[in-house]
Structure formats: structure tokens, C-alpha cells
Amino acid sequence: MTDQPVDDLKDQLLDAALTHVPFDGWSPATFRAAIEDTGADPALAQAVCPRGAVDLAIAFHKRGDAAMVQRLRSEPLQDMRFRDRIAAGVRFRLEAVEDREAVRRGTALFALPPYAADGAKLIWGTADLIWTTLGDTSDDINWYTKRATLSAVYGSTVLFWLGDDSLGHLATWDFLDRRIDNVMQFEKVKAQVNDNPVLKQLLAGPNWALSKVRAPARMPDIRMPGNWTARR
């Protein structure tokens, strides 16, 4: 079995599942219906998606991530302020969604304790892709704080967007801008703290410890591009 047929089958199952998700969520019933709709061998489908519809929900999220990255690379963003590029990344990610109900159902799925870690990993992955695609080169503690902060912004914006019925989702984009502004204000305060000689001395110990933190190293892997492993 080659990688390409596996990817093709997962895509086919996902496309079929999306017609059932609004009614049955990312559930075993949806997975069974997708198998039936595609005519796939049930054993092969189970091998491709060991957790059934959960794996399809993850594939759905990653499909949106791929569309976002493609748009980030094609849009002329070079004249934008960097904070606006970050906001554009979040907006592009949401605009890549063709079925908001599928996201709503996915949010409910990944809120369940057995799948909460998967949901957090997906949000972190989206934040990482935005930063990486926009050329982030940080390799210290800032690598983590940037992604953690953007994960929080993205997660809260998704929840707002799910309930937003404004024309063109204008309320969502205003909400996103406010969240980005909050982050920028926090960064400004952090810079002021670092410039204060008294506070800088008091924080010398913690700052020294944080200076030893390094971002994970990206290791080349033909089968799994973007794989990360800890630095040695």
C-alpha cells in the first residue's frame, strides 16, 4: 500500500462524511455512512482511520490549514504591519472553512475529555503554521510564547465566529483585531518591564532560566514534512 492511495481514500471518506456531519456529528454513524457512500472496503477504511470519524475530523482541520498556508503564500502581505499579517492568517484560516457546522461539530467533539488533547494539538498546529509561513525565525522561549498566545487568539476567535451572524462576519474580524491589540499591549508591557533596571534585576534568575529554553528542531522527513523533535 502506497501513501498516495491512503491519502486519496481518506480524502474520499472525508468528502463523503461532510454530508452527514451536520446531522450525526463526527460519529461512528457518520463514519459508517462515509464508507457506504464511497464503497470503500470497511477493513481498509478502518486501517486508514483507526479512530473512525475522529481521524476524519482531524483531516478536515488539516485540510483547512493547508488552504490557509496556500493563501498566505499567494497573497501580497509584504506591505502589511506584522500584526496585520498575523490577523490575516487567522482570517484566512476561518475563510477556508466551507462548512461552519462541521467546525461546530468538531469543536464539540474536541471538547470531550478523550479528544481534548487532539483539539489542543490542532489549534497549536494552526498557530505554528501561521508563524512559520510568515517567516518566524525565533528559536528560544519566544517560539513557544508566540504560538501559545496565537493559539489563545485563534481559539477564542473561532468560538466567536461560530455564533456570528453579522454581514460578512464583520463582527468576527473586529473581535479578532481587538484580541491582536490585546496581545500587542501585553508585548509592550513586557518590553517596558525588561527595560526597567530594578525589575530586570529582580527577574534575572527566571530570565536566565528562560534563556536556556530552545525551540524544537525541525527534522527533514519526506513522509512527514514539518516534523519536530527536541533539540539535543
Side-chain angles (χ1 to χ4, degrees):
M1 185 187 305
T2 63
D3 289 344
Q4 188 60 43
V6 167
D7 291 340
D8 287 347
L9 178 55
K10 182 176 286 187
D11 282 339
Q12 292 168 14
L13 289 169
L14 176 55
D15 290 337
L18 286 171
T19 64
H20 300 278
V21 169
F23 308 100
D24 297 317
W26 297 99
S27 66
T30 289
F31 189 60
R32 290 193 297 269
I35 293 174
E36 183 176 346
D37 290 352
T38 58
D41 182 291
L44 181 57
Q46 195 67 51
V48 171
C49 300
R51 294 189 295 171
V54 176
D55 287 330
L56 292 181
I58 292 172
F60 175 68
H61 184 95
K62 291 184 177 180
R63 177 184 286 183
D65 280 351
M68 172 198 70
V69 169
Q70 183 177 12
R71 188 172 174 188
L72 277 172
R73 289 173 174 169
S74 62
E75 292 280 347
L77 306 178
Q78 59 273 14
D79 293 332
M80 285 186 177
R81 294 178 299 171
F82 204 84
R83 57 91 63 212
D84 293 332
R85 297 182 202 179
I86 294 294
V90 176
R91 178 167 179 165
F92 292 170
R93 179 61 184 83
L94 294 179
E95 290 179 339
V97 175
E98 296 180 357
D99 188 344
R100 186 158 60 161
E101 185 60 28
V103 176
R104 192 188 313 278
R105 294 287 192 151
T107 300
L109 173 71
F110 293 120
L112 297 175
Y115 310 119
D118 293 291
K121 184 177 180 180
L122 290 174
I123 291 175
W124 180 278
T126 299
D128 179 40
L129 281 171
I130 291 174
W131 276 111
T132 301
T133 305
L134 291 177
D136 177 45
T137 58
S138 60
D139 65 352
D140 54 9
I141 188 64
N142 288 311
W143 188 92
Y144 296 93
T145 59
K146 287 178 178 179
R147 283 150 182 80
T149 303
L150 185 55
S151 292
V153 169
Y154 174 73
S156 63
T157 303
V158 169
L159 293 177
F160 187 95
W161 170 77
L162 286 172
D164 179 19
D165 293 324
S166 64
L167 182 63
H169 301 301
L170 289 178
T172 295
W173 313 141
D174 288 342
F175 177 87
L176 172 60
D177 282 338
R178 292 196 298 273
R179 298 290 75 76
I180 296 291
D181 285 340
N182 291 154
V183 172
M184 298 306 295
Q185 290 170 2
F186 172 76
E187 291 297 322
K188 184 177 180 180
V189 170
K190 188 169 69 173
Q192 291 173 343
V193 169
N194 289 333
D195 289 339
N196 186 303
V198 176
L199 292 176
K200 188 174 182 178
Q201 185 175 2
L202 289 173
L203 296 173
N207 284 339
W208 177 87
L210 291 175
S211 71
K212 302 303 179 182
V213 177
R214 289 292 178 266
R218 189 181 295 273
M219 300 296 290
D221 188 317
I222 295 175
R223 296 170 302 167
M224 298 177 62
N227 190 34
W228 290 88
T229 185
R231 289 181 184 270
R232 294 185 178 180

